[in-house]
Amino acid sequence: MSTAAPPRPSATPPRRPPSQHPLSAWRGSLLAPACAGIATLCAATSVTSVVSGLAWFGYLFVAVLLIGASGLALRSLQVPTVLVGLGQLLVLLFLITGAFTTHGILLIIPGPDAFGELGSTLSAAADQIRVGLPPVEGSQPILCLVTILVGLVAVLVDTLTVAAAAPAATGLVLLCVYAVPAALSEEMLPWWTFLLGGAAFAGLLAVDGNHRHQRWRTREAPGRSGKPGVLSAPVAVVCAAIVLGLFGGAITWVGTVGRIPFGNSGDGPGAGAGGFGIQPFTELRGMLDQGANREMFKVRGLGTDRRLLRAMTLDTYYPNKGWGLHDDGRSQQGSPIGPQLPPAPGDDGSGTARKVDVEPTSWRDNWLPVYGAPRVIDGAGNGYLYDQVSGTVFTTRSEVPPSYTEYASLKEPTAQQLRVTEKVDDLPPRYTQIDRVDDRVRQKTEQLIAGKTNDFDRASAIWQYFTAQNGFVYDTQTAPANDADALADFILKGKRGFCEQFASAMAVMLRVADIPSRVAIGFTPGVPVNDYMSITTQDAHAWVEAYFGDKGWVTFDPTPLSDGRGITPSYLQAGSENGNQPDDTQIAPSTVQSSAAPTGAPRDTEQNTQAQGPQQSDEGTPTWAWILVILLAALAIVATSLVVVGGRRRRPESAPASTGLGAVLVNWLPLIAAVLWVAVLGVLSWLVAWWFSLIVVLLLAGLLGPSAARDVGRRRRLQEIVGQRPGAADAAWSELRAECADRGLPIPPSDTVRVAGQKLAQKHHLDDEGREGLRTVIGVVERSWYGENADPDPTLPTAFDHLRRSLHRNAPMSWKGRLFPRSIFRNRD
């Protein structure tokens, strides 16, 4: 039986449909947003110079991935460009809400409370940047700020690259990403970050140049006109981008505080080497942490006497946030340090002054730390001021101080003396003001001080409340938020936190009890090393100082440290002279020993007898989770590599293997690789939060699920065709109808095989190879349906393969058709 041949192509090539215009193909390409995201991430590696750790990269990776995927999905639905950008911004907002707030509607949708929490987080990030020295600790506020900023850059780069089809314009945006860390960092940016950024930008331009390697509109594409200048233009642009990126970074063109590489500017210890400072704010749900352990001071002259080193004091409580400086410290005043300092409150000048030598090693800040009540400070240089009310020594600009000597009164009053202190109304009102304290906190305070007849016993009762016996646990992380009021949540429910939370809470309760109080920020005594006490970043600490009239400011440390760093003054120790404390009073453990912690071990880790959970990494992430991530990523990389290599080696005329384990692996390897990558992203996002992992997996499943289901059906039919099974002809016709439906030109069920073949050849612009394969497929299908011989036709696999290849060449499928194939949503066999 003869078959009617589809019409031959005319001499004049058919007009390209609008959907196949090069600009439309570029906007629907997966390569464009992928290159834009990679370029953004490579430029963001410059953040390593200003933020310590690598936690920020995980957030940025997820943010860039979600922005690129949402843009691709929205463009595949032909959403207007403006709405695509707004949709990407909305996805970024959902991510920020879910990752950095606890009050999101359904965890990710921001409400008034979430916006307020974000505002507080960004304010905390601004404070940390204002007083910190790069690289700052990758705290939650800093991670939030970095994710927002780089997320906005990712949206802009994606829009310029894909929607505007102008990837070269992203160069200025990416350069700005380098400029900010370079301007903040006192060190040279790492050379490799410029290399990555330059290579990624060059790749972006190369991909765009390859796309334009055809006539577009009325212009000749580079390399097509034969003109040398046009031919070399893309190469020149790429080379210039790499050279400017590397050379510009080397000569600090984008700025590294005006320093020549390997040069030495400034004098004194630590000049040009950066340093650490302390943020003048405590958070009720934060952590006073300065990152990697690094020596800050060498102290000589204290002997075995263990004292707290005070850097600053905070006088103002900000409800539901923490403690800070009144008027952000702008109104703080002091007198220049000279031969003799003004007397501190409670220091009448009697008694000898202890000589203490302090050698800063990595300290750079506005504050000059001091012990006790300072009387004389020698060697600190000019510009430092002493405020006798706050008990701090400071300067108007952050700097590295030289070694200095302090003569200070370290005398401690007895408990009996503190019980009979004389009231002295000589403090500014900011040390007694307290507003907007939750009624539950006030009631708890009144309960604790009930029956106490003097301020010392009241303060002691409050101090004794913060113990392990009352459920409080010292930890580097606060308990999950269970209450809108952070203070009440910590005091009454969570009872778990760092020294910031303990000091902030006790200082508030003291003011509720009408006892003037402030929060002191500084360092614990450190550990002995040779002839000095070594104080490191891990000794950063916060405690409380209460005012007792003529006795001045008295230290109370409510943090229940049990690692040898805590100090219990004599007036608070049970059984001490004139202490008058019952033996069974629940007080913070006395830590008079001064044994050094093991070398390299952080000394702020709680040493308790609670059962240990799974082995943890330094960041608190279970080790098995990282092992799982590495294993899945390795398997995914191997699977992806096999897919790429197999796709390159496969000959055009060959058909997929039909039998055996090897055939199963080869045919299903792309789907296996996709599942492994989804698993990697799922585990990584689980390390942030389980609900975040669920959102990521569901989003990827919704985005990739239809295409995966389509791929499963396609491979099942191709197996029948290649294996020449009895239903091979039906499978070929079903797959052909599915291919047409995915391209937006479905074959109606009412059409005969020949009519459908004629439409397919004409509308999809099949070439000669495709038309020949189509004639063979039509003949096999007709013989299977209407003939008496139902034996498999050996020519079907090769003919169908030629037909599919012709469809891919002449009617490429849009990403909308690939991600959301129409054939999946129709009733097909």
Side-chain angles (χ1 to χ4, degrees):
M1 182 173 60
S2 61
T3 59
R8 295 284 181 180
S10 59
T12 304
R15 184 177 180 182
R16 188 191 303 271
S19 61
Q20 297 182 22
H21 194 280
L23 182 59
S24 300
W26 172 256
R27 290 176 176 173
S29 170
L30 176 63
L31 197 57
C35 290
I38 292 174
T40 302
L41 287 176
C42 288
T45 56
S46 59
V47 174
T48 55
S49 62
V50 291
V51 180
S52 63
L54 292 176
W56 56 269
F57 188 80
Y59 285 93
L60 297 190
F61 180 81
V62 174
V64 171
L65 176 66
L66 293 180
I67 288 170
S70 59
L72 182 63
L74 292 173
R75 292 186 187 100
S76 68
L77 299 176
Q78 299 182 353
V79 175
T81 300
V82 175
L83 295 182
V84 171
L86 292 177
Q88 290 174 314
L89 292 175
L90 190 62
V91 169
L92 178 62
L93 179 60
F94 287 164
L95 171 63
I96 297 298
T97 303
F100 299 104
T101 71
T102 57
H103 296 87
I105 303 172
L106 300 179
L107 299 178
I108 63 170
I109 302 175
D113 293 339
F115 278 117
E117 193 171 351
L118 280 177
S120 301
T121 300
L122 294 179
S123 297
D127 290 337
Q128 187 173 349
I129 292 173
R130 179 168 58 87
V131 302
L133 294 172
V136 298
E137 173 65 15
S139 61
Q140 285 294 97
I142 292 296
L143 293 178
C144 179
L145 179 62
V146 171
T147 305
I148 291 176
L149 294 180
V150 178
L152 294 176
V153 170
V155 173
L156 183 57
V157 171
D158 185 82
T159 301
L160 290 174
T161 301
V162 184
T170 63
L172 182 61
V173 179
L174 299 176
L175 184 61
C176 292
V177 176
Y178 282 97
V180 174
L184 294 176
S185 177
E186 294 189 353
E187 301 285 343
M188 284 295 301
L189 294 185
W191 63 268
W192 53 266
T193 184
F194 288 102
L195 182 61
L196 284 177
F201 184 59
L204 188 59
L205 295 179
V207 169
D208 180 51
N210 182 69
H211 158 67
R212 298 174 189 271
H213 193 67
Q214 300 175 0
R215 290 188 62 86
W216 189 22
R217 297 177 181 172
T218 60
R219 295 177 291 178
E220 196 74 31
R224 301 280 296 196
S225 64
K227 300 178 181 179
V230 176
L231 182 64
S232 61
V235 178
V237 171
V238 171
C239 293
I242 296 177
V243 171
L244 286 177
L246 292 175
F247 186 67
I251 63 174
T252 67
W253 178 50
V254 292
T256 52
V257 199
R259 293 178 53 209
I260 302 293
F262 312 111
N264 188 13
S265 60
D267 300 320
F276 287 79
I278 289 185
Q279 178 179 346
F281 197 90
T282 66
E283 299 179 59
L284 290 170
R285 287 178 175 149
M287 174 176 173
L288 182 63
D289 187 17
Q290 296 297 321
N293 197 14
R294 185 172 176 181
E295 188 176 63
M296 306 284 287
F297 303 96
K298 295 180 180 179
V299 178
R300 296 175 174 88
L302 287 177
T304 59
D305 197 0
R306 294 170 53 79
R307 299 285 178 169
L308 295 172
L309 179 62
R310 181 176 61 252
M312 73 186 76
T313 58
L314 310 179
D315 51 33
T316 303
Y317 172 67
Y318 296 93
N320 212 34
K321 295 181 180 179
W323 285 76
L325 292 173
H326 174 69
D327 196 25
D328 290 333
R330 290 186 293 268
S331 60
Q332 188 163 356
Q333 298 178 352
S335 57
I337 59 174
Q340 188 71 32
L341 299 179
D347 182 17
D348 57 5
S350 63
T352 59
R354 180 76 66 88
K355 177 185 176 182
V356 183
D357 294 317
V358 181
E359 179 186 345
T361 55
S362 300
W363 174 260
R364 179 169 184 167
D365 209 331
N366 297 76
W367 315 93
L368 191 71
V370 294
Y371 287 98
R375 294 179 180 175
V376 177
I377 295 179
D378 286 336
N382 299 324
Y384 280 97
L385 305 174
Y386 173 61
D387 181 6
Q388 64 186 117
V389 177
S390 65
T392 57
V393 180
F394 64 95
T395 184
T396 55
R397 59 189 178 92
S398 178
E399 60 183 60
V400 178
S403 298
Y404 58 96
T405 299
E406 177 194 3
Y407 294 87
S409 172
L410 304 181
K411 182 176 58 176
E412 288 183 348
T414 65
Q416 188 59 35
Q417 289 173 337
L418 292 174
R419 288 191 176 94
V420 296
T421 55
E422 298 180 5
K423 292 282 187 179
V424 180
D425 190 14
D426 58 350
L427 287 178
R430 62 178 182 269
Y431 286 99
T432 56
Q433 291 175 345
I434 190 71
D435 299 317
R436 294 168 54 191
V437 177
D438 192 284
D439 289 339
R440 293 169 294 175
V441 175
R442 292 185 178 274
Q443 292 173 3
K444 186 63 178 180
T445 304
E446 294 296 334
Q447 175 187 346
L448 293 174
I449 66 175
K452 308 300 180 182
T453 59
N454 58 79
D455 284 350
F456 176 73
D457 286 342
R458 296 187 187 98
S460 299
I462 296 174
W463 171 74
Q464 293 164 17
Y465 174 64
F466 296 97
T467 60
Q469 287 77 6
N470 288 325
F472 285 92
V473 177
Y474 169 76
D475 198 353
T476 55
Q477 294 183 353
T478 57
N482 296 312
D483 198 298
D485 188 279
L487 179 65
D489 189 22
F490 173 76
I491 293 175
L492 303 174
K493 298 179 182 179
K495 297 185 177 183
R496 175 184 293 270
F498 205 61
C499 57
E500 287 186 80
Q501 290 79 52
F502 285 94
S504 297
M506 180 176 176
V508 171
M509 297 177 77
L510 286 175
R511 290 198 181 181
V512 171
D514 295 326
I515 302 174
S517 63
R518 65 190 186 191
V519 173
I521 304 293
F523 301 91
T524 53
V527 296
V529 177
N530 298 326
D531 64 336
Y532 63 89
M533 296 295 291
S534 175
I535 298 178
T536 71
T537 53
Q538 299 301 323
D539 290 307
H541 193 51
W543 62 93
V544 178
E545 293 181 350
Y547 189 68
F548 286 88
D550 61 334
K551 296 300 183 290
W553 294 97
V554 177
T555 296
F556 290 82
D557 188 359
T559 306
L561 295 173
S562 57
D563 57 0
R565 295 189 306 132
I567 293 178
T568 304
S570 58
Y571 47 83
L572 290 175
Q573 293 181 17
S576 63
E577 183 180 358
N578 296 324
N580 198 23
Q581 293 278 2
D583 292 339
D584 59 349
T585 301
Q586 304 297 339
I587 64 173
S590 175
T591 54
V592 296
Q593 69 274 17
S594 59
S595 58
T599 303
R603 297 189 298 274
D604 63 342
T605 305
E606 180 187 4
Q607 306 292 331
N608 53 44
T609 58
Q610 296 177 356
Q612 299 294 322
Q615 183 183 1
Q616 302 286 319
S617 67
D618 291 340
E619 290 79 13
T621 302
T623 303
W624 64 263
W626 287 117
I627 295 176
L628 181 60
V629 169
I630 294 173
L631 179 62
L632 291 175
L635 292 175
I637 292 173
V638 171
T640 304
S641 302
L642 292 176
V643 170
V644 173
V645 173
R648 290 181 176 179
R649 292 183 176 179
R650 182 185 172 193
R651 293 175 300 172
E653 66 275 9
S654 66
S658 58
T659 59
L661 180 60
V664 174
L665 291 178
V666 170
N667 294 331
W668 295 94
L669 204 54
L671 186 60
I672 294 173
V675 172
L676 287 173
W677 282 118
V678 171
V680 170
L681 294 177
V683 176
L684 283 175
S685 54
W686 175 83
L687 297 180
V688 177
W690 67 267
W691 54 264
F692 184 53
S693 174
L694 181 62
I695 293 173
V696 170
V697 172
L698 290 179
L699 179 62
L700 292 176
L703 187 64
L704 303 178
S707 60
R710 172 73 178 92
D711 190 65
V712 170
R714 178 189 298 112
R715 293 180 182 277
R716 178 178 58 83
R717 298 187 186 105
L718 291 179
Q719 284 294 319
E720 294 187 18
I721 297 170
V722 173
Q724 300 183 28
R725 299 171 185 171
D730 292 338
W733 185 246
S734 297
E735 179 59 24
L736 189 58
R737 291 182 62 190
E739 291 277 358
C740 294
D742 294 341
R743 287 169 170 77
L745 296 172
I747 299 176
S750 59
D751 286 353
T752 64
V753 177
R754 296 188 181 187
V755 171
Q758 291 176 352
K759 290 182 179 180
L760 190 154
Q762 181 179 7
K763 293 182 178 179
H764 294 302
H765 313 287
L766 295 183
D767 51 24
D768 291 341
E769 182 186 42
R771 290 171 181 267
E772 189 66 31
L774 177 61
R775 282 194 290 270
T776 301
V777 171
I778 289 177
V780 171
V781 171
E782 287 185 333
R783 287 193 297 272
S784 172
W785 287 1
Y786 309 118
E788 296 181 357
N789 184 9
D791 294 336
D793 192 323
T795 63
L796 178 61
T798 302
F800 191 78
D801 185 64
H802 291 169
L803 175 57
R804 290 183 66 240
R805 293 180 179 276
S806 180
L807 280 173
H808 293 168
R809 288 192 301 268
N810 300 281
M813 195 181 304
S814 67
W815 276 102
K816 177 182 178 181
R818 295 185 183 185
L819 291 176
F820 306 103
R822 297 185 180 182
S823 58
I824 289 295
F825 305 102
R826 297 172 179 268
N827 293 326
R828 297 191 177 277
D829 34 318

